[in-house]
Amino acid sequence: AQSVTQLGSHVSVSEGALVLLRCNYSSSVPPYLFWYVQYPNQGLQLLLKYTTGATLVKGINGFEAEFKKSETSFHLTKPSAHMSDAAEYFCAVSSSSGGGADGLTFGKGTHLIIQP
Amino acid sequence: GAVVSQHPSRVICKSGTSVKIECRSLDFQATTMFWYRQFPKQSLMLMATSNEGSKATYEQGVEKDKFLINHASLTLSTLTVTSAHPEDSSFYICSARWTGAGEKLFFGSGTQLSVL
């Protein structure tokens, strides 16, 4: 069984500040981890994913995440927030690298608010 | 990038009526599509896996007679909520599995169902 916990349903940061969105997972098999972003009235868009290899993963729009097996974490960061980053962010885990063999298990989501 | 179109984006219906939601992969063929449901402030929960030309696989606790899934072509899957009740009000979102170079999931923009 797999599960994902996202700490903080809402995170507010100032424009230009560091963004940190937390994600912890549990999985009985080696996990594949994903971060998705959802802008208003749009579908989920893949930000980045961890499959194997390098534990620091770089994604689109300046985001990156680090897989820490010892902490069962996959936190998402961005050095400098931009107003356009305001959105809902979902962490997800899967037993397949593409997430599609058996679907994804999602966290509850974190709403990122950017203050001017 | 690949696009998944989900329609309608919002629907309001009376209790006891049926509602059909369509999920189309616009520029690729998807042998597998997934249907998720999201209640307010909750995770996206996988409801069922839809495979073209065969019966859908439902997750535990999801009533297959209430949530009818049809995947008659490689570009279209439909979810029909039969005899809808207020407790079925939720956000429904589909995803389509792309198996080109690598494996990816592409999501629709979701359907907000409100049952009066």
Side-chain angles (χ1 to χ4, degrees):
Chain A
Q2 298 175 316
S3 67
V4 175
T5 302
Q6 289 184 242
L7 297 178
S9 59
H10 290 76
V11 170
S12 180
V13 302
S14 298
E15 188 175 19
L18 171 71
V19 175
L20 171 61
L21 304 184
R22 300 178 185 275
C23 173
N24 289 88
Y25 70 91
S26 67
S27 178
S28 57
V29 297
Y32 297 101
L33 296 159
F34 306 78
W35 274 101
Y36 283 85
V37 60
Q38 185 177 31
Y39 299 103
N41 302 316
Q42 296 186 27
L44 275 70
Q45 179 182 2
L46 181 65
L47 270 180
L48 50 80
K49 67 178 181 181
Y50 167 78
T51 53
T52 58
T55 57
L56 182 62
V57 181
K58 294 186 183 298
I60 62 172
N61 301 339
F63 284 93
E64 62 183 34
E66 185 171 12
F67 170 60
K68 292 186 176 180
K69 183 178 180 180
S70 62
E71 298 177 8
T72 61
S73 69
F74 191 56
H75 302 329
L76 181 71
T77 61
K78 181 173 180 177
S80 178
H82 192 273
M83 295 299 292
S84 61
D85 295 326
E88 190 81 16
Y89 292 80
F90 293 92
C91 182
V93 63
S94 173
S95 58
S96 71
S97 63
D102 54 0
L104 293 163
T105 299
F106 285 91
K108 292 184 179 181
T110 298
H111 187 67
L112 178 61
I113 301 164
I114 310 297
Q115 296 178 342
Chain B
V3 176
V4 172
S5 174
Q6 187 172 341
H7 179 81
S9 59
R10 184 179 296 272
V11 59
I12 301 172
C13 70
K14 293 182 179 180
S15 184
T17 61
S18 295
V19 174
K20 179 184 286 188
I21 303 170
E22 293 187 347
C23 181
R24 294 180 184 273
S25 56
L26 296 184
D27 52 2
F28 67 101
Q29 294 182 330
T31 56
T32 303
M33 291 186 177
F34 301 92
W35 287 96
Y36 292 85
R37 177 171 57 186
Q38 184 183 29
F39 293 106
K41 300 182 180 180
Q42 299 295 318
S43 299
L44 279 77
M45 300 297 296
L46 180 65
M47 298 175 65
T49 303
S50 169
N51 295 296
E52 187 269 336
S54 64
K55 292 183 179 180
T57 303
Y58 290 82
E59 296 299 302
Q60 189 174 5
V62 178
E63 299 176 60
K64 62 180 181 180
D65 294 330
K66 181 169 188 61
F67 298 100
L68 300 179
I69 291 173
N70 184 284
H71 194 161
S73 78
L74 288 172
T75 59
L76 174 64
S77 176
T78 61
L79 168 68
T80 301
V81 183
T82 62
S83 187
H85 287 90
E87 57 265 31
D88 299 323
S89 298
S90 186
F91 185 71
Y92 295 86
I93 191 166
C94 70
S95 68
R97 180 182 173 198
W98 180 76
T99 56
E103 177 191 336
K104 294 181 181 180
L105 283 182
F106 295 95
F107 285 82
S109 56
T111 298
Q112 182 64 54
L113 171 63
S114 299
V115 184
L116 304 179

